[in-house]
């Protein structure tokens, strides 16, 4: 009786080799790229035009672009933290006022303090939004010297759409702080009676 030929160790039984689709299906083709919207884009898409910057300057531009993107994320995170801190402060004041009712003059003082903190929070959130706008302008300037492929990829979301989204979120944050300030002010007024 002859022994079967020695088999080389391969992938585990039942598991396809890495990089192949399951069940022997043919590989999925890449998604087609969207057709360019204008004649300028069509000319740009036909031939890749690399950045004309020297390597050192290109590296500086990439670094500045990355720093600007990190600054935008940091500023947005700080905006949300301002909203969170204001909410926690308001809830803490209501909890303290409910547990130990304020005297009327203390309730007025606490309400005034809350209005002051709300005004400062709104001001800081607007300043952070302005900072983000400056960083976005810096990023748009830096992209102008990147390759045509990078410029095309970064233009996939229209500027108007991005601005609408950003300012809608800003409006929601500001309205939230103002409405919460009014509600807590009324609650503290009722507690102080």
């Amino acid at each position: 009786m002859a022994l079967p030929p020695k088999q080389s160790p391969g992938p585990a039984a039942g598991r396809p080799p890495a990089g192949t689709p399951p069940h022997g299906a043919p590989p999925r083709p890449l998604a087609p790229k969207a057709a360019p919207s204008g004649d300028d884009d069509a000319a740009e898409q036909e031939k890749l035009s690399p950045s004309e910057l020297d390597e050192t300057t290109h590296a500086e531009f990439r670094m500045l672009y990355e720093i600007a993107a990190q600054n935008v994320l940091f500023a947005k995170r700080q905006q949300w933290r301002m909203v969170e801190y204001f909410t926690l402060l308001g809830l803490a004041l209501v909890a303290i006022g409910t547990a130990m009712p304020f005297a009327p003059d203390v309730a007025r003082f606490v309400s005034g303090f809350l209005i002051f903190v709300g005004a400062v929070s709104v001001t800081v959130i607007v300043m952070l939004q302005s900072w983000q706008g400056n960083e976005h302008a810096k990023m748009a300037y830096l992209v102008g010297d990147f390759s045509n492929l990078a410029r095309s990829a970064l233009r996939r979301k229209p500027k108007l759409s991005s601005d609408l989204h950003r300012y809608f979120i800003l409006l929601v944050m500001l309205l939230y702080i103002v409405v919460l300030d009014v509600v807590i002010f009324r609650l503290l007024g009722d507690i102080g009676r």
Side-chain angles (χ1 to χ4, degrees), residues 137-149:
K138 185 190 306 180
M139 290 163 68
Y141 172 77
L142 293 169
V143 163
D145 286 317
F146 287 172
S147 71
N148 64 329
L149 180 61

Side-chain angles (χ1 to χ4, degrees), residues 151-169:
R151 288 193 308 269
S152 178
L154 291 168
R155 279 196 307 251
R156 291 294 174 207
K157 185 172 184 183
K159 183 178 180 342
L160 177 64
S161 173
S162 297
D163 288 344
L164 286 175
H165 294 165
R166 272 198 307 272
Y167 288 110
F168 178 74
I169 292 171

